[in-house]
């Protein structure tokens, strides 16, 4: 029973559902489901509806309406509306027939001429709305009236000529009735244009700027986007799409009637709304517009085949539209709340009682006051120095909460300067052979700072886990790192489910959301070498460079991964059942390792980790400031050796000087101490420590056991 319980919590369906709802392609789930239901209903009620002849006819009749819906979608995504699409579509249909069959112009010239007309009308709409600052609704309605009146006048004047015209071409016939592998040509055109429109709006700068303008014109303007040009471009694109729809319709129908395009603007707008595109702009995709267009098209076509009266068809479409839009709006409004309630998915974590930390316990973890002697450096001149490191000139570097790297100059560390500003939240640091400062930055990846203070990106991605719904190719919370003699950078990503602001939620889950990654500067590639790790944190290369040590914070363990020698590739637990939550690990001068404990375990919290249901109720029902959390008001540093034996500990009971210790670095007989929530850097003299030993020399001096041949380094952009 216990094994089944563990398996249930490890592979909780809640985890799958939460990651499923988090996917962007799940946003139009309501209209997509409705589309499938509508099609299934007609398949069951209309004989032969799913047969190939009927499907082929549906594909031949659908593209024009879909292109008009796409045109409306582009205008709406830009924060506007284009009510002229129906009239422009009708006029484009007439112009295609007029230019080709009456004037006898070549097929390519006709295409260019009609598209130019669509672009011209779009330019008029865009020019008035973007530069004259007229209202999109009124502007496009006026254009609708003018173009529709012109269309009616022209079709009346050229009725005889169009009826008697016989000019055609093979290209024209192929466009109208041809097929490619059984698929109508106009459907193939729709697919290609739909893909191009999707790429344009999601990958290319002009399209992304249209989306940004639709989301917030003020923010777009502050970002340096030419708002007027983007609006103008959106309406030109809308005109081009509508004009091409008119060409396809003319090739298929080869006629122009007074009712052509009438009401298409309403259907297009309904398709956009039904597909889940926000009328406020900036939120939606071309795919959503196409889903909405399919629903409208299937409803009209199916009801007509069932012999439904026209007025009843319109009423049915209106009723379903209102119901679907209402449900979709409700879903979009509450999806975040649903996701919030089910996203945190705790797993079962069972601890054994930890070693006693009582002062009279007689263990290496017995509490003491050794950190009380640490002096404060940079008091009130630093915020959250999560990691500290020193260079060969004894200058002290640390990270600041505002995204910068701060340097305090030796020997007294009174002079403070901003060494570099990276952004994000810098965390763990290491120095390579060239004395570049390599930094893990939460939310950004791994970056470097050269001695001349120039900043460069090392990596912000790794290989994706294809068996997981969540796209984990991008780095979410790069935490700590170390560098091997061959230049490879080993770094931890604490979690792929939460950002730094919500890192505590990962602790409440206790599951393997993190990974260990290796970046090879010689190839520029990053590869995940261990995954499903419970908040992997501190990373340290062993003194002999044969293995990498890393801390699992929530499991209170230190692991060792062998990267060289006969055991390469093997992973083992080196230190288990720590009384606190391990953070950064760094080398000591005597061949051992320093370990920061960011918090201390308590029996109550250990019990909570063994009861996932309790943690779920706590997160859902209790305000965050009342959650049960690990004790982080104790400062503790431990020292352990290559056999995993803890040799000694340094304590600051109550965390009066150094609470939430996250890092420490030995340098020339002193221990420098950093903390995620601290306002100072501690410095403690280490009696008996080598006064000449430095961390940089232990890695890169030729006499060091871990120093090796220099690997070829590729310049990283």
């Amino acid at each position: 029973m216990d094994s089944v319980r563990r398996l249930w919590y490890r592979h909780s369906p809640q985890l799958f559902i939460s990651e499923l709802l988090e996917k962007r392609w799940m946003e139009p789930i309501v209209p997509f489901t409705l589309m499938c239901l509508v099609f299934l209903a007609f398949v069951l009620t209309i004989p032969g509806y799913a047969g190939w002849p009927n499907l082929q006819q549906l594909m031949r009749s659908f593209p024009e309406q879909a292109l008009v819906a796409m045109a409306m979608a582009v205008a709406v995504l830009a924060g506007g509306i284009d009510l002229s699409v129906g009239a422009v579509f009708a006029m484009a249909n007439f112009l295609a027939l007029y230019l080709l069959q009456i004037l006898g112009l070549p097929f390519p010239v006709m295409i260019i001429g009609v598209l130019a007309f669509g672009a011209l009308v779009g330019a008029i709409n865009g020019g008035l709305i973007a530069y004259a600052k007229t209202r999109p609704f009124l502007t496009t309605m006026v254009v609708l009236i003018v173009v529709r009146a012109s269309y009616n006048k022209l079709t009346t004047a050229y009725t005889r000529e169009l009826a008697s015209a016989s000019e055609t071409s093979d290209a024209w016939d192929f466009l109208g009735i041809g097929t490619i592998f059984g698929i109508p040509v106009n459907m193939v055109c729709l697919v290609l244009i739909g893909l191009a429109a999707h790429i344009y709006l999601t990958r290319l700068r002009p399209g992304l700027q249209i989306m940004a303008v639709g989301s917030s014109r003020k923010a777009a303007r502050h970002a340096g986007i030419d708002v007027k040009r983007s609006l103008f471009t959106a309406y030109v694109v809308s005109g081009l799409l509508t004009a091409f729809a008119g060409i396809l319709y003319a090739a298929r129908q080869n006629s122009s009637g007074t009712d052509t395009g009438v009401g298409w603007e309403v259907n297009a707008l309904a398709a956009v709304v039904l597909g889940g595109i926000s009328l406020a702009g900036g939120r939606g995709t071309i795919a959503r517009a196409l889903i909405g267009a399919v629903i409208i098209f299937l409803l009209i076509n199916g009801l007509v085949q069932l012999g439904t009266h026209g007025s009843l068809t319109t009423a049915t479409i209106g009723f379903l539209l209102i119901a679907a839009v209402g449900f979709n709006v409700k879903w979009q409004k509450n999806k975040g709340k649903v996701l919030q309630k089910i996203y945190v998915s705790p797993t079962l974590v069972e601890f054994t009682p930890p070693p006693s930390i009582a002062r009279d316990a007689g263990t290496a973890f017995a509490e003491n006051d050794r950190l009380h002697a640490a002096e404060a450096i940079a008091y009130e001149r630093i915020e959250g120095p999560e990691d500290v490191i020193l260079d060969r000139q004894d200058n002290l570097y640390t990270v600041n909460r505002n995204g910068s790297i701060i340097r305090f100059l030796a020997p007294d560390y009174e002079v403070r300067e901003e060494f570099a500003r990276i952004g994000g939240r810098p965390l763990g640091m290491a120095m390579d052979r060239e004395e570049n400062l390599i930094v893990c930055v939460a939310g950004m990846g791994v970056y470097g700072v050269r001695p001349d203070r120039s900043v460069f990106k090392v990596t912000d991605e790794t290989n994706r886990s294809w068996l997981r719904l969540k796209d984990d190719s991008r780095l979410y919370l790069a935490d700590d790192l170390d560098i091997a003699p061959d230049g490879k950078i080993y770094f931890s990503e604490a979690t792929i489910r939460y950002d730094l602001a919500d890192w505590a939620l990962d602790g409440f889950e206790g599951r393997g959301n993190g990974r260990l990654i290796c970046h090879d500067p010689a190839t520029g590639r990053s590869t995940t070498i261990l995954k499903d790790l419970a908040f992997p944190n501190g990373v340290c290369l062993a003194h002999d460079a044969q293995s990498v040590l890393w801390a699992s914070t929530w499991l209170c363990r230190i692991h060792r991964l062998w990267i060289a020698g006969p055991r390469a590739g093997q992973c083992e637990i080196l230190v288990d059942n720590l009384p606190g939550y391990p953070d950064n690990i760094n080398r000591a001068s005597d061949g051992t390792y320093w370990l920061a404990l960011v918090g201390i375990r308590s029996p109550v919290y250990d019990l909570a980790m063994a009861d996932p249901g309790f943690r779920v109720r706590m997160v859902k029902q209790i305000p965050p400031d009342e959650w049960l959390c690990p004790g982080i008001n104790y400062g503790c540093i431990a020292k352990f050796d290559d056999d995993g034996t803890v040799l000694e500990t340094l304590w600051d009971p109550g965390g009066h000087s150094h609470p939430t210790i996250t890092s420490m670095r030995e340098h020339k007989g002193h221990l420098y101490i950093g903390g995620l929530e601290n306002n100072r850097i501690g410095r403690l003299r280490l009696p008996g420590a080598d006064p000449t030993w430095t961390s940089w020399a232990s890695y890169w001096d030729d006499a060091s056991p871990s120093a090796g041949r220099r690997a070829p380094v590729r310049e990283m952009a």
Side-chain angles (χ1 to χ4, degrees):
M1 183 62 68
D2 287 342
S3 60
V4 174
R5 184 166 174 254
R6 293 190 187 93
L7 188 64
W8 170 263
Y9 282 115
R10 182 177 181 183
H11 303 286
S12 172
Q14 183 177 325
L15 181 67
F16 173 81
I17 295 172
S18 63
E19 291 193 353
L20 184 66
L21 292 177
E22 194 182 23
K23 302 299 291 183
R24 287 189 62 185
W25 47 261
M26 280 295 293
E27 293 182 1
I29 186 62
V30 174
F32 179 80
T33 303
L34 178 61
M35 179 185 72
C36 295
L37 291 176
V38 169
F39 181 75
L40 181 61
F42 290 132
V43 168
L44 296 176
T45 55
I46 301 176
Y49 195 81
W52 178 246
N54 187 66
L55 292 178
Q56 196 173 43
Q57 183 58 40
L58 291 176
M59 286 189 290
R60 194 178 299 279
S61 304
F62 173 65
E64 298 92 23
Q65 297 183 40
L67 286 169
V68 173
M70 287 169 54
M72 178 68 76
V74 172
V76 172
L77 288 172
I81 193 171
D82 191 353
L83 297 178
S84 67
V85 290
V88 174
F89 166 78
M91 183 62 83
N93 170 65
F94 168 80
L95 287 177
L97 296 172
Y98 178 79
L99 295 177
L100 187 71
Q101 297 186 352
I102 297 179
L103 296 185
L105 297 179
F107 179 79
V109 176
M110 178 275 294
I111 295 287
I112 295 173
V114 176
L115 292 179
F117 163 76
L120 175 62
V121 177
I124 293 173
N125 282 328
L128 292 172
I129 294 168
Y131 295 99
K133 297 183 179 180
T134 58
R135 299 288 184 181
F137 186 90
L138 293 176
T139 302
T140 55
M141 179 179 287
V142 170
V143 174
L144 159 67
I145 294 171
V146 172
V147 176
R148 174 60 66 179
S150 302
Y151 170 78
N152 290 336
K153 188 71 173 176
L154 289 171
T155 52
T156 302
Y158 289 95
T159 300
R160 290 185 179 180
E161 288 84 346
L162 290 175
S164 60
S166 60
E167 290 290 336
T168 185
S169 68
D170 293 338
W172 181 250
D173 293 337
F174 181 70
L175 185 63
I177 60 175
T179 60
I180 299 177
F181 300 110
I183 306 296
V185 172
N186 57 354
M187 188 65 188
V188 174
C189 292
L190 172 64
V191 172
L192 295 177
I193 294 174
L195 289 174
H198 173 75
I199 294 172
Y200 177 77
L201 291 175
T202 60
R203 297 293 185 270
L204 301 182
R205 186 185 298 270
L208 292 172
Q209 290 178 347
I210 288 174
M211 298 292 288
V213 169
S215 297
S216 172
R217 293 188 185 183
K218 183 178 181 180
R221 190 177 295 109
H222 288 169
I225 296 174
D226 190 334
V227 174
K228 295 179 179 179
R229 184 178 62 189
S230 295
L231 281 172
F232 179 83
T233 302
Y235 281 96
V236 171
V237 172
S238 177
L240 287 170
L241 290 172
T242 307
F244 191 73
I247 294 173
L248 294 181
Y249 188 82
R252 181 168 64 88
Q253 297 284 44
N254 214 29
S255 64
S256 180
T258 56
D259 61 344
T260 301
V262 173
W264 280 42
E265 61 277 349
V266 177
N267 288 344
L269 184 59
V272 166
V273 175
L274 193 57
I277 294 178
S278 173
L279 289 177
R283 184 172 63 84
T285 62
I286 289 296
R288 294 194 198 183
L290 292 176
I291 290 174
V294 170
I295 295 172
I296 298 295
F297 174 75
L298 289 178
L299 282 171
I300 295 174
N301 180 272
L303 291 174
V304 168
Q305 290 195 42
L306 287 173
T308 307
H309 191 274
S311 58
L312 184 58
T313 300
T314 304
T316 302
I317 293 174
F319 173 76
L320 291 176
L321 180 61
I322 292 174
V325 169
F327 187 79
N328 194 32
V329 169
K330 196 72 174 178
W331 166 251
Q332 292 295 337
K333 182 179 180 180
N334 293 284
K335 190 188 76 168
K337 296 179 182 178
V338 173
L339 184 60
Q340 185 179 19
K341 288 183 178 180
I342 69 170
Y343 194 77
V344 179
S345 178
T347 190
L348 182 64
V349 180
E350 296 177 300
F351 287 114
T352 56
S356 175
I357 63 172
R359 286 181 178 265
D360 58 354
T363 68
F365 295 102
E367 182 184 289
N368 55 64
D369 300 316
R370 294 176 63 182
L371 288 183
H372 285 179
E375 62 177 303
I377 297 176
Y379 180 71
E380 297 289 0
R381 302 173 66 194
I382 193 71
E383 294 183 37
E386 199 273 347
D387 198 11
V388 292
I389 195 169
L390 295 97
D391 62 18
R392 290 197 294 172
Q393 290 74 40
D394 303 332
N395 298 313
L396 175 62
Y397 300 78
T398 188
V399 295
N400 202 34
R401 198 185 306 278
N402 67 355
S404 59
I405 307 296
I406 303 299
R407 178 167 65 180
F408 294 93
L409 300 183
D412 54 11
Y413 304 117
E414 290 296 324
V415 177
R416 177 189 187 275
E417 61 182 11
E418 184 177 83
F419 181 65
R421 181 176 290 271
I422 300 177
R425 179 55 166 105
L427 297 173
M429 300 185 291
M431 278 192 174
D432 65 12
R433 185 184 296 273
E434 286 73 30
E435 298 188 71
N436 298 313
L437 189 62
I438 312 299
V439 188
C440 284
V441 185
M444 294 175 59
V446 180
Y447 281 72
V449 185
R450 300 183 180 90
D452 63 4
R453 304 190 183 194
S454 59
V455 177
F456 61 96
K457 182 176 72 175
V458 177
T459 182
D460 61 359
E461 61 183 0
T462 183
N463 57 300
R464 179 177 179 178
S465 301
W466 291 107
L467 296 180
R468 189 162 187 169
L469 273 174
K470 191 178 185 71
D471 182 0
D472 57 359
S473 60
R474 304 292 292 184
L475 300 180
Y476 287 77
L477 187 54
D479 200 330
D480 193 31
L481 75 161
D482 211 350
I483 306 174
D486 59 3
K488 291 181 179 178
I489 301 171
Y490 294 86
F491 66 95
S492 61
E493 185 174 25
T495 175
I496 63 171
R497 279 173 59 79
Y498 301 95
D499 57 25
L500 188 63
D502 296 320
W503 66 270
L505 292 176
D506 191 88
F508 294 137
E509 283 198 356
R511 67 173 59 253
N513 295 326
R515 52 192 174 177
L516 190 66
I517 301 170
C518 176
H519 175 77
D520 187 353
T523 62
R525 296 186 60 184
S526 300
T527 306
T528 299
I529 53 178
L530 291 175
K531 60 181 180 178
D532 301 329
L533 311 179
F535 210 87
N537 202 330
V539 177
C540 181
L541 192 74
H543 284 277
D544 61 3
Q546 299 293 294
S547 61
V548 173
L549 313 181
W550 58 273
S552 177
T553 297
W554 306 137
L555 299 185
C556 303
R557 295 171 178 168
I558 306 297
H559 295 255
R560 173 159 53 196
L561 172 66
W562 294 91
I563 60 174
R567 301 182 63 185
Q570 297 182 25
C571 191
E572 63 185 9
I573 298 175
L574 181 62
V575 184
D576 198 7
N577 200 32
L578 289 164
Y581 297 92
D583 206 291
N584 285 2
I585 309 170
N586 281 305
R587 294 179 180 179
S589 58
D590 58 0
T592 60
Y593 307 91
W594 295 107
L595 170 67
L597 296 180
V598 70
I600 304 302
R601 286 168 55 187
S602 68
V604 175
Y605 196 76
D606 283 3
L607 287 173
M609 294 301 288
D611 189 348
F614 168 80
R615 305 203 305 275
V616 169
R617 293 190 296 274
M618 178 181 69
V619 172
K620 289 182 179 180
Q621 301 175 12
I622 301 177
D625 58 350
E626 297 180 10
W627 287 348
L628 177 66
C629 293
I632 58 174
N633 57 340
Y634 267 65
C636 181
I637 298 172
K639 180 189 277 191
F640 65 94
D641 60 20
D642 276 307
D643 295 324
T645 303
V646 177
L647 306 174
E648 61 175 319
T649 52
L650 314 175
W651 287 84
D652 178 16
H656 299 295
S657 299
H658 299 288
T660 62
I661 294 177
T662 54
S663 65
M664 67 278 107
R665 193 85 58 164
E666 184 176 342
H667 184 84
K668 292 187 176 180
H670 289 83
L671 195 64
Y672 294 81
I673 306 166
L676 187 64
E677 304 296 334
N678 293 351
N679 62 353
R680 72 199 74 185
I681 297 170
R683 180 169 65 175
L684 179 71
R685 180 176 293 278
L686 298 172
D690 184 351
T692 64
W693 186 90
T694 66
S695 177
W696 191 92
S698 76
Y699 280 86
W700 307 116
D701 273 3
D702 293 337
S704 171
S706 65
R709 291 181 59 191
R710 176 178 175 181
V713 178
R714 191 178 74 172
E715 184 69 14
M716 292 168 284

